[in-house]
Amino acid sequence: MNHYERSALNFFAASPLDRMTLKRRDAAWLAEQLTAATTRFVPVWQTKNLFDAQDMSRALLLAPGADHLWLAAAEPILLGVHEGITYFGVDVAEGADHLASLQTLGKFEDLRLVGTRLDAKTGGLLALARAMTYWHQRHRFCGDCGSPTQSADGGFVRRCTNPACGKQHFPRTDPAIIVQVSAGDKCLLARQAVWPPGRYSVLAGFVEPGESVEDAVIREVLEETNIRVTNIHYYASQPWPFPASLMLGYTAEATNVDLHYTDDELEHARWISRRELKEALQAETIKLPPPLSISHRLIESWFDTGECGRLRDWL
Amino acid sequence: MNHYERSALNFFAASPLDRMTLKRRDAAWLAEQLTAATTRFVPVWQTKNLFDAQDMSRALLLAPGADHLWLAAAEPILLGVHEGITYFGVDVAEGADHLASLQTLGKFEDLRLVGTRLDAKTGGLLALARAMTYWHQRHRFCGDCGSPTQSADGGFVRRCTNPACGKQHFPRTDPAIIVQVSAGDKCLLARQAVWPPGRYSVLAGFVEPGESVEDAVIREVLEETNIRVTNIHYYASQPWPFPASLMLGYTAEATNVDLHYTDDELEHARWISRRELKEALQAETIKLPPPLSISHRLIESWFDTGECGRLRDWL
């Protein structure tokens, strides 16, 4: 399997949406789309997406028109076009008049909790809306001079309104590594104190300025568990807009097995064999991250190469 | 070769520096390091590093002490420790008294122009100093509320000084794809109008929110040249702090060959065989990006698998 095919299996990836990047600066085209009957808006409030409260697998999209005159005024973000429908993301301001009516219409919920109930296309669309509205919220002022910024280029730029500055700011995505570390037939799993009880996962952390992704893999594993890794291979990637990460998945092999949590990030770390993991999952003493995450896929990919069958056949 | 080994060949990667991430919040340790005789400061002015004007392979580092009392006051950034020496990055403010004396001491120059003349350790150190000072410059104000921010945690956080906000901001790194596209025995090379005459390279572009890296590979190649790619494989990564990128290198195969520049980014794009490239390089009608870049390595890696020998043996 090539790396595109592997990444495409990850939720939120391989969206069929055409981002129409070349139309972002076409003001006339954008204005036309904002009021077209076929256009749909993806509302986000406090980083949550809007769903049908009776059927959370149904995302609620809004049509332009008399009911939603606020939409075109709310710095809408061009998400893209798919099958003749133009999609915009829109942030529902705190305290806005229309917030209450939207809350009657449906339920705002964290995309991670709904994720796999959605079809993949909708998942990608909602993830993009969430990521972009979060970025706008956090860049309302210019980091260079402190003046207000305003949305431009279909929402893919924020421009400083101070004519003496005028700096452009672009959407931010934070690359992060996530790595499945093996030692013989065992896999390294760990948990953070803030996670739900029993939840274990593979290690992850942000790539820092001035390091390659593979440098970050080595540094993170060493910092968090005192394990040195080798034989590092890229696995796949996944957009993870919670709030703004890009997960870069790897596999690696440990050269030592003595775990130390030198970091206050981890509450516990352990080596576990496939058989031990299977038993712990069946006894519900260990829970894995949700299947929509690349962390789950990395664990599954390791598990499935062993003698305990395929994880998805019995989990 | 695993992906760590391949990325480690890229300049600026695989630095032996220990970033000492767990010491960033240790104020007493940091204060001690700032005045220790073995400590060295890496000055950056307008994103340029300081070199010995007579020997640009020698980076000039500053020692704490009477000559440089301004150093400890200038929001120094903990870069890390190597062989008993603690390194801090420091931004030389425009118009500062000490700027003129530093300009007498040596020459500030763009790291890309000096790059491979440095040993790899120094290259990584200077790249990190450059990346971090640039990030500080561009985040002096809080994007959430517009108030001034101040450096914290050894320079790896900027915190909003407005008590009602207090948001923390972390160093920013922009993931970007760079991809060597093949069609049969030919490689896709292109140039931007702003590049030096004759310079050609592989295609590159930023990963956007809500897409996997591989999604970005497909989108960028399609947008820029109308070529659809398949069989996408990750190659290696490279930190590229000019000003803040993380290059994610890929190879891919084209499924069509009809080039259209649908984007105003490209001045020209072409398919080229190894033999044609060799002739053009020898005639100097085509120039490649500098050997310190992953773009050069991707082209070299493609070239070397053919019948024209190894690029580095005659370039």
Side-chain angles (χ1 to χ4, degrees):
Chain A
M1 212 184 297
N2 68 51
H3 289 126
Y4 173 76
E5 291 165 337
R6 220 188 259 156
S7 291
L9 296 174
N10 292 330
F11 212 73
F12 307 127
S15 165
L17 194 72
D18 180 343
R19 292 177 175 236
M20 305 293 281
T21 59
L22 305 181
K23 287 291 191 187
R24 288 174 187 165
R25 294 187 192 178
D26 185 338
W29 183 85
L30 285 168
E32 197 181 303
Q33 300 306 306
L34 282 174
T35 54
T38 50
T39 286
R40 289 296 176 270
F41 290 81
V42 183
V44 182
W45 171 62
Q46 291 189 338
T47 77
K48 293 177 174 170
N49 299 94
L50 186 60
F51 301 95
D52 181 337
Q54 267 65 58
D55 175 7
M56 296 291 280
S57 72
R58 246 190 93 227
L60 294 186
L61 308 182
L62 310 175
D67 289 354
H68 302 299
L69 287 175
W70 61 278
L71 286 170
E75 293 197 334
I77 301 153
L78 175 66
L79 304 178
V81 172
H82 180 60
E83 294 180 345
I85 300 172
T86 302
Y87 295 94
F88 287 93
V90 67
D91 194 48
V92 183
E94 199 50 54
D97 289 343
H98 44 266
L99 174 59
S101 77
L102 290 180
Q103 283 168 330
T104 316
L105 207 64
K107 187 180 179 212
F108 283 101
E109 187 53 278
D110 188 322
L111 181 55
R112 271 170 298 192
L113 301 181
V114 182
T116 46
R117 282 185 267 175
L118 304 168
D119 66 273
K121 185 212 98 182
T122 306
L125 186 68
L126 268 54
L128 177 57
R130 181 193 156 117
M132 289 299 297
T133 51
Y134 177 81
W135 173 70
H136 278 272
Q137 271 176 26
R138 297 216 65 184
H139 292 78
R140 291 175 299 172
F141 295 89
C142 176
D144 278 63
C145 79
S147 303
T149 56
Q150 65 188 16
S151 182
D153 292 8
F156 278 75
V157 168
R158 286 194 75 88
R159 195 167 286 135
C160 179
T161 56
N162 170 8
C165 175
K167 289 248 176 17
Q168 297 195 98
H169 302 277
F170 297 95
R172 172 171 173 151
T173 299
D174 296 318
I177 63 95
I178 183 158
V179 56
Q180 184 270 312
V181 179
S182 298
D185 68 339
K186 299 203 172 189
C187 174
L188 176 55
L189 293 183
R191 62 172 271 105
Q192 296 176 15
V194 297
W195 288 356
R199 162 82 64 88
Y200 277 77
S201 189
V202 289
L203 301 181
F206 290 108
V207 181
E208 293 199 339
E211 65 184 0
S212 75
V213 190
E214 292 77 8
D215 293 339
V217 167
I218 291 179
R219 179 181 53 74
E220 280 289 342
V221 177
L222 186 65
E223 274 174 23
E224 297 198 359
T225 60
N226 195 43
I227 299 296
R228 291 185 181 274
V229 293
T230 185
N231 205 18
I232 300 169
H233 286 273
Y234 176 72
Y235 179 78
S237 69
Q238 182 183 37
W240 194 248
F242 307 106
S245 297
L246 171 67
M247 305 309 296
L248 303 165
Y250 281 82
T251 60
E253 285 170 24
T255 62
N256 61 318
V257 295
D258 44 322
L259 296 165
H260 295 289
Y261 329 140
T262 49
D263 190 331
D264 51 7
E265 262 187 59
L266 294 185
E267 183 187 71
H268 187 221
R270 60 170 293 186
W271 293 105
I272 193 164
S273 70
R274 292 176 183 83
R275 189 155 304 279
E276 287 164 340
L277 179 59
K278 185 169 184 173
E279 285 168 11
L281 288 169
Q282 286 172 335
E284 297 190 4
T285 52
I286 283 186
K287 294 187 187 88
L288 295 183
L292 63 74
S293 64
I294 191 171
S295 46
H296 186 100
R297 298 203 84 91
L298 280 165
I299 297 167
E300 181 182 41
S301 172
W302 161 77
F303 188 92
D304 289 359
T305 56
E307 301 299 304
C308 289
R310 291 191 347 154
L311 192 67
R312 65 181 63 186
D313 289 341
W314 54 267
L315 189 64
Chain B
M1 213 184 296
N2 68 51
H3 288 127
Y4 174 76
E5 292 164 335
R6 217 188 262 157
S7 291
L9 296 175
N10 292 329
F11 211 73
F12 306 127
S15 165
L17 194 72
D18 181 344
R19 290 178 177 237
M20 304 293 280
T21 60
L22 304 180
K23 288 291 192 188
R24 289 175 186 164
R25 294 185 193 180
D26 186 338
W29 184 85
L30 284 170
E32 197 180 302
Q33 299 306 306
L34 282 174
T35 54
T38 49
T39 287
R40 290 294 176 272
F41 290 81
V42 183
V44 182
W45 171 62
Q46 291 191 338
T47 77
K48 293 176 175 173
N49 298 93
L50 185 61
F51 302 94
D52 181 338
Q54 266 64 58
D55 174 7
M56 297 291 282
S57 73
R58 247 189 93 228
L60 293 186
L61 308 182
L62 310 176
D67 289 352
H68 302 298
L69 288 175
W70 60 279
L71 286 169
E75 293 197 334
I77 301 154
L78 176 66
L79 304 177
V81 172
H82 180 59
E83 294 181 345
I85 299 172
T86 302
Y87 294 94
F88 287 93
V90 66
D91 194 49
V92 183
E94 199 49 54
D97 289 343
H98 44 267
L99 175 58
S101 77
L102 291 179
Q103 284 169 328
T104 316
L105 208 63
K107 185 180 181 212
F108 283 101
E109 186 53 277
D110 187 322
L111 181 54
R112 270 171 296 192
L113 300 182
V114 181
T116 44
R117 280 185 268 175
L118 304 169
D119 65 274
K121 186 214 98 184
T122 306
L125 185 68
L126 268 52
L128 177 56
R130 182 194 156 116
M132 290 298 297
T133 51
Y134 177 81
W135 173 70
H136 278 271
Q137 272 177 23
R138 298 216 64 185
H139 293 78
R140 291 175 299 171
F141 295 88
C142 176
D144 278 62
C145 79
S147 302
T149 57
Q150 64 188 17
S151 183
D153 292 8
F156 278 75
V157 168
R158 287 194 74 88
R159 196 167 285 135
C160 180
T161 57
N162 169 9
C165 175
K167 290 249 173 20
Q168 297 194 98
H169 302 276
F170 298 95
R172 171 171 175 152
T173 299
D174 297 318
I177 62 97
I178 183 158
V179 56
Q180 185 269 313
V181 179
S182 298
D185 67 340
K186 298 202 173 189
C187 174
L188 177 55
L189 293 182
R191 63 172 270 105
Q192 296 177 16
V194 296
W195 288 357
R199 162 81 63 85
Y200 276 77
S201 187
V202 290
L203 300 180
F206 290 108
V207 182
E208 294 199 341
E211 64 184 0
S212 75
V213 190
E214 292 78 7
D215 293 339
V217 168
I218 291 179
R219 181 181 52 75
E220 280 289 342
V221 178
L222 186 64
E223 275 174 24
E224 296 198 359
T225 59
N226 195 43
I227 298 298
R228 291 184 182 275
V229 293
T230 186
N231 203 19
I232 298 168
H233 287 273
Y234 176 72
Y235 180 79
S237 69
Q238 182 182 36
W240 194 248
F242 309 105
S245 298
L246 172 67
M247 304 311 295
L248 303 164
Y250 281 82
T251 60
E253 286 171 23
T255 62
N256 60 318
V257 294
D258 44 323
L259 296 164
H260 295 289
Y261 329 139
T262 50
D263 192 329
D264 51 8
E265 263 188 58
L266 294 185
E267 181 186 72
H268 186 223
R270 59 170 294 183
W271 293 105
I272 193 164
S273 70
R274 292 176 183 83
R275 188 154 305 277
E276 287 164 340
L277 179 59
K278 183 168 186 176
E279 286 169 9
L281 288 169
Q282 287 173 330
E284 296 191 6
T285 52
I286 283 187
K287 294 188 186 86
L288 295 184
L292 64 74
S293 65
I294 192 171
S295 46
H296 186 100
R297 296 203 85 89
L298 281 165
I299 296 167
E300 180 182 43
S301 174
W302 162 77
F303 188 92
D304 288 358
T305 57
E307 301 300 304
C308 290
R310 292 190 348 153
L311 193 66
R312 67 179 64 185
D313 289 341
W314 54 268
L315 190 63

